[in-house]
Structure formats: structure tokens, C-alpha cells
Amino acid sequence: MSIIKSTLHELQEGLTRGDVSATDIARAYFLRISVVEPKVKAYITLNEQEVILAEARALDEAMKSWRKTMPMMAMPIAVKDNICTKDMLTTGGSRILEGFIPPYNATVVDKLREQQCFLVGKTNLDEFAMGSSTEHSAFGPSRNPWKLDRVPGGSSGGSAAAVAADECVVALGSDTGGSIRQPAACCGVVGLKPTYGRVSRYGLLAFASSLDQIGPVTKDVRDAALMMNVLAGHDPHDATSADVPVPDFTRALKKKDVKKLKIGVPSEFFADGLDPEVHTAVREALAVLEELGGTQQELSLPHTGVAVATYYLVATAEASSNLARYDGVKYGFRTRECGDLMEMYQATRQEGFGAEVKRRVMLGTYALSSGYYDAYYAKAQAVRTLIRRDFERAFEAVDVLVMPTMPTTVFRLGEKIGDPLQMYLSDLYTVSASLAGVPAISVPCGFSRAGLPIGLQIVGRPFEEEMILRVARAYELATNWRRKRPLIR
Ligand code: GLN
């Protein structure tokens, strides 16, 4: 078996059967990284090879006397660099966290490490997860493994690029308005944003607290289900995490068809502005789902047109408040130009934050200021309720909603960086599910003429990740997109 080309479940099986050892896995991945990472630049920080090889040797030794039992054991996992890792640099893609080494693990990292996975490294992202291309990272952009002059999407672009380039077997991302699904679509991999509250955010650097979710980026849908089995669940450290039963997400995949499934097709997501190549690919995917026994129903999510505006008010307002903690006292970077305390705060934030973060802090502060609060923030909250109701109404009639993940095909580095509004519009199709708090998954559904991946988005009812996983898996098995891999050169 090819170690680096394997999915998580294939690699697990190989390890359990004894076809590969933990040391083989660790070696293969570090070799792969040494070859492709200089081109892809998926990581901000790589774990030390010696540390992982020592862990691998210990695991191999232990496995002589007992059979492998934990699903994540010896699995090379990458973690987005806005998720805290104990004793390992965590930057959030920002200069302002320079040298910040968390004294604790995020809950999701603890859960994976308890099963003795390998922590390969911390992946690149737009600063504080604000962006759609990784170009807003203080450490420079990552590249799309399918074409190195293209962006990998964002903000979890490093995680998606690392999975697509076989620099890890699975990765963690975070999604506030699309940051798992959109880069997954750009890189031809699977990305799942769980229901708000499904997965603990303890240890995630907060961007917009009413929207942020952690979720998996994987090579196939089965791997996403396996990851959800580990990640999901109530966490007393996260007051917003939901105390609901956690199913076995892989059980849902046993049914390989979607007979009697009612698929909603929201017309607003197929209107003007949708790239024709994306449109064709998604319509073809819908036809596949119909062949598998589903029925399509056109419907409307009438407030879709104001979702981006609503999102950028809610998200920036919350960001302006969350980012107030970076003051040069508590974490990371502090300016050298210190006058009095106020000047120190100002100079630290001036030097430590990039342009996009400053833009959002200003926009958010403005939206929350007295006199404008009712006109902007309160209004955005009211519209958010209307958006959520659109989904509730739709889900009375259908089981899932299907639409493109992104309105365009993958763009070039530099193409949108000078035009924030254009960049924001690449979130057009992902922010609605975020505002509604519902789960959504992106799976590969074809390629553009230029050879770049296209993503299909499947959205479900709250806490019905099993349903979207099942539909995504049925689609994935009926098509062969996941077999195509990028040739990095
Ligand atoms: N691209 C969106 C933004 O810039 C979403 C980011 C995210 O989901 N973290 O806010």
C-alpha cells in the first residue's frame, strides 16, 4: 500500500493488519513533506521529526503485545494554527502572537492525542481566520497543490493544501463563514462544518464566537465521519458546546443509496453570478443523486441576498470584541516603541495586526458604537433570525439542501487581494449555513477546464451530520472524483 496516498481508514486498516508500522508511517510522511512542502507551504510550524519518530518507535514496541484499538493511533494529523497546542507555537497566522506557546491543548487536540495520533504540525491560515485565500497570513500564502499559482482557499487553506498534497492524512480546520468548506472545495478534498455547538471550541482562538466551529478536512467522507466520532461531544470547558447524544457517524454510511431522500435545490444559489462550469458540475451531481433514488425540489431561501452583508456585520462586531485581548500585555508580541501604556497598546496593535484584521476591527467597532448599534448590529441580528427561519422552513419540506460550495472556480494568487469586497463574495454560498448554525459538508464534484477542483455543498438540519455524511458518501461512491490526485510540480 502507498502510505501517503491512503485515506485515514485505509491507513488504520494497514496498521491493524500489520502491513505498515507506526515508524513506516512517520518516515513516509516526513519524506513527503520534505519533497512538497517547499512548494505548497501548507505549514507554519512543523513538529520535529525526531519527536514523532520516538513516539512511533514507542507505539510499535507497545503494539507487539496488544492489538491496535484506538482509531487515531499513529495517524499523522495537521492542526490549523488558530487551535492551541501545548508547548507548540500557535500563531493564528498573526504577528501579534509572535512566540506564543500555549500552556494547554484545545479539547479537540487532546481528544486526538489521547488516541496517540501524530501531531505533524500547525497549518497556515489567513490572520485570525479572516479571509478566503491564506493571503492574509503574516507568514505568506500557501499554494494550491493542483496549480501552484492558485490560492488553496481560506482561511483553512493550509489544512486543505496539506491534505490534498498528502502532507498529513487528515487535518483540523475552523469555519466561521466557510473556512473549512471553501478551501476543501478549492483543493479537491472533503470539509465538514459541524452544527454550532457539536464540537468543542475550547482552545480555538476566537474570531466570531456565535459562528466559529472546528471540523475535519479529509480525503474522503468516511474519514470525515471517523474524525467526527472523535471530535464531537459536550465539553464542560466550552459553555456553547451542546449536551446532545453523539451517534456513531460511520454507522450512518452503511446505507449506500439515498432512496426517498428529498433534496432541496435553493434557486438563489443557481442565479446570476454563478460560474457556468461550477453550475454544470453541480447540476450533474444533482442528477447523480437522483439516480441514487433522491428527488429534487426547487425552493427558495429568500434572504440569501443579504447573507454576506449580515455575516460581515455580525462577524466583524464579534471580532472587534474578541481581538481586544491582544494588547501587548497578555500574549506574544509587544512593540519596542513604548511610551505610556496607551501608546504601547496602540503601537503593538498597529505593528502586530495586518491590514485585513484592522479593517474588520474598525468595521466591527463602528457597527457596535452607540448611535450605529441599532442601525447595523441589531439589524444584522434581526436579519440573521430571518435567515435561520428560511432554513427551518426549507427543512420542513426537504431532508438536505444541495448547492455549490463556491460561486467561482479557484482564483489566482493576487487576484482578489486588492479588492476586499470581491474576496468577501467568495463566501457567498457558505455564510448562510454559518449564520443558521446548521451543519454543511463540501465534497469534490468535478474539475474545471483548467483542471481545478469544484466543490458540492450539502447542508443539513441541526445535529443531522449523519444525514449529510450519508448523502455525501453515497455521492462519493457513485463518482470517482476522489481518485484523482494532484501532481505537484
Ligand atoms: N472568508 C470568511 C471571512 O473572511 C470566512 C472566514 C472563516 O470562516 N473563518 O470571514
Side-chain angles (χ1 to χ4, degrees), residues 248-288:
D248 176 349
F249 293 97
T250 49
R251 278 247 305 273
L253 307 184
K254 294 227 166 79
K255 233 178 124 201
K256 303 223 164 24
D257 60 50
V258 292
K259 291 213 173 75
K260 299 210 180 88
L261 184 86
K262 286 189 233 135
I263 304 164
V265 183
S267 51
E268 290 82 3
F269 290 78
F270 293 83
D272 284 354
L274 175 60
D275 181 287
E277 287 190 274
V278 179
H279 194 155
T280 308
V282 173
R283 287 285 179 199
E284 278 168 11
L286 280 163
V288 170

Short mmCIF file of all heavy atoms in Angstrom, two decimals, residues 248-288:
data_model
loop_
_atom_site.label_atom_id
_atom_site.label_comp_id
_atom_site.label_asym_id
_atom_site.label_seq_id
_atom_site.Cartn_x
_atom_site.Cartn_y
_atom_site.Cartn_z
N ASP A 248 -22.76 7.20 16.37
CA ASP A 248 -21.60 6.67 15.66
C ASP A 248 -21.76 7.12 14.20
O ASP A 248 -22.61 6.62 13.48
CB ASP A 248 -21.59 5.14 15.76
CG ASP A 248 -20.45 4.53 14.95
OD1 ASP A 248 -19.82 5.26 14.15
OD2 ASP A 248 -20.19 3.33 15.11
N PHE A 249 -20.95 8.11 13.81
CA PHE A 249 -21.15 8.72 12.49
C PHE A 249 -20.86 7.76 11.35
O PHE A 249 -21.36 7.94 10.25
CB PHE A 249 -20.31 9.99 12.38
CG PHE A 249 -20.76 11.08 13.30
CD1 PHE A 249 -20.13 11.29 14.52
CD2 PHE A 249 -21.81 11.92 12.96
CE1 PHE A 249 -20.55 12.29 15.39
CE2 PHE A 249 -22.24 12.92 13.82
CZ PHE A 249 -21.61 13.11 15.04
N THR A 250 -20.03 6.74 11.59
CA THR A 250 -19.71 5.82 10.49
C THR A 250 -20.87 4.85 10.23
O THR A 250 -21.01 4.35 9.12
CB THR A 250 -18.44 5.00 10.78
OG1 THR A 250 -18.52 4.45 12.08
CG2 THR A 250 -17.20 5.87 10.67
N ARG A 251 -21.70 4.63 11.26
CA ARG A 251 -22.85 3.74 11.07
C ARG A 251 -23.78 4.27 9.98
O ARG A 251 -24.34 3.51 9.19
CB ARG A 251 -23.64 3.61 12.38
CG ARG A 251 -23.08 2.61 13.35
CD ARG A 251 -23.99 1.40 13.57
NE ARG A 251 -25.34 1.74 13.97
CZ ARG A 251 -25.73 1.94 15.23
NH1 ARG A 251 -24.86 1.84 16.22
NH2 ARG A 251 -26.97 2.21 15.51
N ALA A 252 -23.90 5.61 9.97
CA ALA A 252 -24.80 6.24 9.00
C ALA A 252 -24.37 5.96 7.56
O ALA A 252 -25.18 6.07 6.63
CB ALA A 252 -24.83 7.75 9.25
N LEU A 253 -23.10 5.61 7.37
CA LEU A 253 -22.60 5.45 6.00
C LEU A 253 -22.93 4.09 5.41
O LEU A 253 -22.69 3.85 4.24
CB LEU A 253 -21.08 5.65 5.97
CG LEU A 253 -20.56 6.93 6.60
CD1 LEU A 253 -19.06 7.03 6.42
CD2 LEU A 253 -21.23 8.16 5.97
N LYS A 254 -23.46 3.21 6.22
CA LYS A 254 -23.70 1.84 5.74
C LYS A 254 -24.68 1.81 4.58
O LYS A 254 -24.53 1.03 3.65
CB LYS A 254 -24.23 0.96 6.89
CG LYS A 254 -23.18 0.77 7.99
CD LYS A 254 -23.05 -0.68 8.42
CE LYS A 254 -21.80 -0.94 9.23
NZ LYS A 254 -21.91 -0.51 10.64
N LYS A 255 -25.66 2.72 4.63
CA LYS A 255 -26.63 2.77 3.55
C LYS A 255 -26.02 3.51 2.36
O LYS A 255 -25.66 4.67 2.49
CB LYS A 255 -27.89 3.51 4.03
CG LYS A 255 -29.14 2.71 3.79
CD LYS A 255 -30.37 3.39 4.29
CE LYS A 255 -31.33 3.50 3.13
NZ LYS A 255 -32.33 4.50 3.27
N LYS A 256 -25.91 2.84 1.24
CA LYS A 256 -25.15 3.42 0.14
C LYS A 256 -26.00 4.11 -0.92
O LYS A 256 -25.50 4.59 -1.91
CB LYS A 256 -24.26 2.35 -0.50
CG LYS A 256 -23.33 1.71 0.51
CD LYS A 256 -21.95 1.52 -0.01
CE LYS A 256 -20.90 1.23 1.05
NZ LYS A 256 -21.31 0.66 2.32
N ASP A 257 -27.32 4.12 -0.70
CA ASP A 257 -28.14 4.87 -1.65
C ASP A 257 -28.86 5.99 -0.89
O ASP A 257 -28.67 6.14 0.31
CB ASP A 257 -29.16 3.94 -2.34
CG ASP A 257 -30.08 3.30 -1.32
OD1 ASP A 257 -30.65 4.03 -0.49
OD2 ASP A 257 -30.25 2.07 -1.34
N VAL A 258 -29.61 6.78 -1.61
CA VAL A 258 -30.32 7.87 -0.95
C VAL A 258 -31.81 7.78 -1.32
O VAL A 258 -32.46 8.78 -1.57
CB VAL A 258 -29.72 9.25 -1.31
CG1 VAL A 258 -28.33 9.38 -0.72
CG2 VAL A 258 -29.67 9.48 -2.81
N LYS A 259 -32.31 6.53 -1.35
CA LYS A 259 -33.71 6.32 -1.74
C LYS A 259 -34.66 7.13 -0.86
O LYS A 259 -34.49 7.19 0.35
CB LYS A 259 -34.06 4.83 -1.64
CG LYS A 259 -33.34 4.02 -2.71
CD LYS A 259 -34.16 2.83 -3.20
CE LYS A 259 -33.47 2.19 -4.37
NZ LYS A 259 -32.29 1.41 -3.99
N LYS A 260 -35.62 7.75 -1.50
CA LYS A 260 -36.66 8.55 -0.85
C LYS A 260 -36.13 9.86 -0.25
O LYS A 260 -36.87 10.59 0.41
CB LYS A 260 -37.37 7.75 0.26
CG LYS A 260 -38.08 6.51 -0.25
CD LYS A 260 -39.30 6.21 0.64
CE LYS A 260 -40.04 5.00 0.18
NZ LYS A 260 -39.53 3.75 0.77
N LEU A 261 -34.86 10.15 -0.46
CA LEU A 261 -34.32 11.39 0.09
C LEU A 261 -34.88 12.60 -0.65
O LEU A 261 -34.89 12.62 -1.88
CB LEU A 261 -32.80 11.38 -0.06
CG LEU A 261 -32.10 12.59 0.56
CD1 LEU A 261 -31.83 12.34 2.03
CD2 LEU A 261 -30.79 12.87 -0.15
N LYS A 262 -35.32 13.60 0.11
CA LYS A 262 -35.82 14.82 -0.52
C LYS A 262 -34.72 15.87 -0.51
O LYS A 262 -34.26 16.30 0.55
CB LYS A 262 -37.07 15.32 0.21
CG LYS A 262 -38.28 14.47 -0.09
CD LYS A 262 -39.55 15.10 0.45
CE LYS A 262 -40.28 14.08 1.31
NZ LYS A 262 -40.77 14.55 2.56
N ILE A 263 -34.33 16.26 -1.73
CA ILE A 263 -33.21 17.18 -1.88
C ILE A 263 -33.73 18.56 -2.28
O ILE A 263 -34.33 18.72 -3.35
CB ILE A 263 -32.25 16.68 -2.99
CG1 ILE A 263 -31.78 15.26 -2.67
CG2 ILE A 263 -31.07 17.63 -3.16
CD1 ILE A 263 -31.15 14.56 -3.86
N GLY A 264 -33.49 19.54 -1.47
CA GLY A 264 -33.88 20.91 -1.79
C GLY A 264 -32.81 21.60 -2.61
O GLY A 264 -31.62 21.51 -2.30
N VAL A 265 -33.23 22.27 -3.67
CA VAL A 265 -32.28 23.00 -4.52
C VAL A 265 -32.66 24.48 -4.47
O VAL A 265 -33.60 24.91 -5.15
CB VAL A 265 -32.35 22.46 -5.97
CG1 VAL A 265 -31.33 23.15 -6.86
CG2 VAL A 265 -32.14 20.95 -5.99
N PRO A 266 -31.98 25.27 -3.65
CA PRO A 266 -32.38 26.68 -3.49
C PRO A 266 -32.01 27.52 -4.72
O PRO A 266 -30.84 27.60 -5.08
CB PRO A 266 -31.60 27.14 -2.25
CG PRO A 266 -30.60 26.09 -1.96
CD PRO A 266 -30.84 24.90 -2.81
N SER A 267 -33.02 28.10 -5.32
CA SER A 267 -32.81 28.78 -6.61
C SER A 267 -31.81 29.94 -6.50
O SER A 267 -31.08 30.22 -7.44
CB SER A 267 -34.15 29.28 -7.16
OG SER A 267 -34.81 30.02 -6.15
N GLU A 268 -31.75 30.59 -5.32
CA GLU A 268 -30.83 31.73 -5.17
C GLU A 268 -29.37 31.34 -5.37
O GLU A 268 -28.54 32.19 -5.68
CB GLU A 268 -30.97 32.35 -3.77
CG GLU A 268 -32.28 33.09 -3.52
CD GLU A 268 -33.43 32.16 -3.15
OE1 GLU A 268 -33.21 30.94 -3.02
OE2 GLU A 268 -34.57 32.67 -2.99
N PHE A 269 -29.06 30.07 -5.19
CA PHE A 269 -27.66 29.64 -5.33
C PHE A 269 -27.33 29.21 -6.76
O PHE A 269 -26.23 28.74 -7.03
CB PHE A 269 -27.38 28.48 -4.36
CG PHE A 269 -27.37 28.90 -2.92
CD1 PHE A 269 -28.55 29.12 -2.23
CD2 PHE A 269 -26.17 29.09 -2.24
CE1 PHE A 269 -28.55 29.52 -0.91
CE2 PHE A 269 -26.16 29.49 -0.91
CZ PHE A 269 -27.36 29.70 -0.24
N PHE A 270 -28.30 29.36 -7.65
CA PHE A 270 -28.05 28.96 -9.04
C PHE A 270 -28.36 30.14 -9.96
O PHE A 270 -28.64 29.97 -11.13
CB PHE A 270 -28.91 27.75 -9.41
CG PHE A 270 -28.50 26.51 -8.66
CD1 PHE A 270 -28.96 26.27 -7.36
CD2 PHE A 270 -27.62 25.59 -9.22
CE1 PHE A 270 -28.57 25.14 -6.66
CE2 PHE A 270 -27.22 24.46 -8.52
CZ PHE A 270 -27.69 24.23 -7.24
N ALA A 271 -28.31 31.33 -9.40
CA ALA A 271 -28.70 32.52 -10.15
C ALA A 271 -27.49 33.17 -10.82
O ALA A 271 -26.40 32.61 -10.86
CB ALA A 271 -29.39 33.49 -9.19
N ASP A 272 -27.69 34.38 -11.32
CA ASP A 272 -26.62 35.15 -11.97
C ASP A 272 -25.38 35.21 -11.09
O ASP A 272 -25.50 35.33 -9.87
CB ASP A 272 -27.09 36.59 -12.21
CG ASP A 272 -28.04 36.64 -13.39
OD1 ASP A 272 -28.21 35.60 -14.05
OD2 ASP A 272 -28.61 37.72 -13.61
N GLY A 273 -24.24 35.18 -11.69
CA GLY A 273 -23.01 35.29 -10.92
C GLY A 273 -22.38 33.93 -10.65
O GLY A 273 -21.22 33.84 -10.28
N LEU A 274 -23.15 32.87 -10.85
CA LEU A 274 -22.59 31.53 -10.67
C LEU A 274 -21.81 31.16 -11.94
O LEU A 274 -22.33 31.23 -13.05
CB LEU A 274 -23.71 30.52 -10.41
CG LEU A 274 -23.28 29.05 -10.31
CD1 LEU A 274 -22.29 28.84 -9.18
CD2 LEU A 274 -24.49 28.14 -10.10
N ASP A 275 -20.56 30.78 -11.75
CA ASP A 275 -19.71 30.39 -12.87
C ASP A 275 -20.34 29.20 -13.61
O ASP A 275 -20.77 28.22 -12.97
CB ASP A 275 -18.34 30.01 -12.31
CG ASP A 275 -17.36 29.60 -13.38
OD1 ASP A 275 -17.51 28.49 -13.95
OD2 ASP A 275 -16.44 30.39 -13.64
N PRO A 276 -20.43 29.27 -14.94
CA PRO A 276 -21.09 28.19 -15.69
C PRO A 276 -20.46 26.82 -15.47
O PRO A 276 -21.18 25.81 -15.43
CB PRO A 276 -20.94 28.61 -17.15
CG PRO A 276 -20.40 29.99 -17.16
CD PRO A 276 -19.98 30.37 -15.78
N GLU A 277 -19.16 26.77 -15.30
CA GLU A 277 -18.52 25.46 -15.09
C GLU A 277 -18.94 24.86 -13.75
O GLU A 277 -19.14 23.66 -13.62
CB GLU A 277 -16.99 25.59 -15.13
CG GLU A 277 -16.44 25.81 -16.52
CD GLU A 277 -14.93 25.68 -16.53
OE1 GLU A 277 -14.24 26.68 -16.25
OE2 GLU A 277 -14.45 24.57 -16.80
N VAL A 278 -19.05 25.72 -12.74
CA VAL A 278 -19.49 25.26 -11.42
C VAL A 278 -20.95 24.81 -11.52
O VAL A 278 -21.34 23.75 -11.02
CB VAL A 278 -19.34 26.38 -10.36
CG1 VAL A 278 -19.82 25.91 -9.01
CG2 VAL A 278 -17.88 26.86 -10.29
N HIS A 279 -21.74 25.63 -12.21
CA HIS A 279 -23.17 25.32 -12.37
C HIS A 279 -23.35 23.93 -12.99
O HIS A 279 -24.09 23.09 -12.47
CB HIS A 279 -23.81 26.39 -13.26
CG HIS A 279 -25.31 26.36 -13.21
ND1 HIS A 279 -26.09 27.45 -13.47
CD2 HIS A 279 -26.18 25.36 -12.92
CE1 HIS A 279 -27.37 27.14 -13.34
NE2 HIS A 279 -27.44 25.86 -13.01
N THR A 280 -22.65 23.68 -14.08
CA THR A 280 -22.76 22.38 -14.77
C THR A 280 -22.38 21.23 -13.84
O THR A 280 -23.10 20.23 -13.74
CB THR A 280 -21.86 22.36 -16.02
OG1 THR A 280 -22.16 23.52 -16.79
CG2 THR A 280 -22.07 21.11 -16.85
N ALA A 281 -21.25 21.40 -13.15
CA ALA A 281 -20.77 20.32 -12.27
C ALA A 281 -21.79 20.01 -11.18
O ALA A 281 -22.05 18.84 -10.87
CB ALA A 281 -19.43 20.70 -11.66
N VAL A 282 -22.39 21.04 -10.61
CA VAL A 282 -23.33 20.83 -9.50
C VAL A 282 -24.65 20.23 -10.02
O VAL A 282 -25.23 19.34 -9.39
CB VAL A 282 -23.55 22.14 -8.71
CG1 VAL A 282 -24.65 21.98 -7.68
CG2 VAL A 282 -22.25 22.54 -8.03
N ARG A 283 -25.09 20.69 -11.19
CA ARG A 283 -26.31 20.08 -11.78
C ARG A 283 -26.07 18.60 -12.08
O ARG A 283 -26.95 17.76 -11.88
CB ARG A 283 -26.71 20.81 -13.07
CG ARG A 283 -27.31 22.18 -12.83
CD ARG A 283 -28.74 22.09 -12.32
NE ARG A 283 -29.28 23.42 -12.06
CZ ARG A 283 -30.33 23.68 -11.29
NH1 ARG A 283 -30.96 22.69 -10.68
NH2 ARG A 283 -30.76 24.90 -11.10
N GLU A 284 -24.87 18.27 -12.55
CA GLU A 284 -24.56 16.86 -12.82
C GLU A 284 -24.56 16.05 -11.52
O GLU A 284 -25.02 14.91 -11.48
CB GLU A 284 -23.22 16.73 -13.55
CG GLU A 284 -23.37 16.99 -15.04
CD GLU A 284 -22.05 17.15 -15.80
OE1 GLU A 284 -20.98 16.87 -15.21
OE2 GLU A 284 -22.10 17.59 -16.95
N ALA A 285 -24.05 16.67 -10.47
CA ALA A 285 -24.04 15.98 -9.17
C ALA A 285 -25.47 15.73 -8.70
O ALA A 285 -25.79 14.65 -8.17
CB ALA A 285 -23.28 16.82 -8.15
N LEU A 286 -26.34 16.71 -8.93
CA LEU A 286 -27.75 16.53 -8.55
C LEU A 286 -28.38 15.38 -9.33
O LEU A 286 -29.16 14.59 -8.78
CB LEU A 286 -28.52 17.83 -8.78
CG LEU A 286 -28.36 18.88 -7.69
CD1 LEU A 286 -28.80 20.26 -8.16
CD2 LEU A 286 -29.14 18.48 -6.44
N ALA A 287 -28.00 15.26 -10.59
CA ALA A 287 -28.52 14.16 -11.41
C ALA A 287 -28.05 12.81 -10.86
O ALA A 287 -28.81 11.85 -10.82
CB ALA A 287 -28.08 14.34 -12.86
N VAL A 288 -26.80 12.77 -10.38
CA VAL A 288 -26.28 11.53 -9.78
C VAL A 288 -27.11 11.17 -8.54
O VAL A 288 -27.52 10.03 -8.35
CB VAL A 288 -24.79 11.68 -9.41
CG1 VAL A 288 -24.31 10.49 -8.58
CG2 VAL A 288 -23.93 11.85 -10.66
#
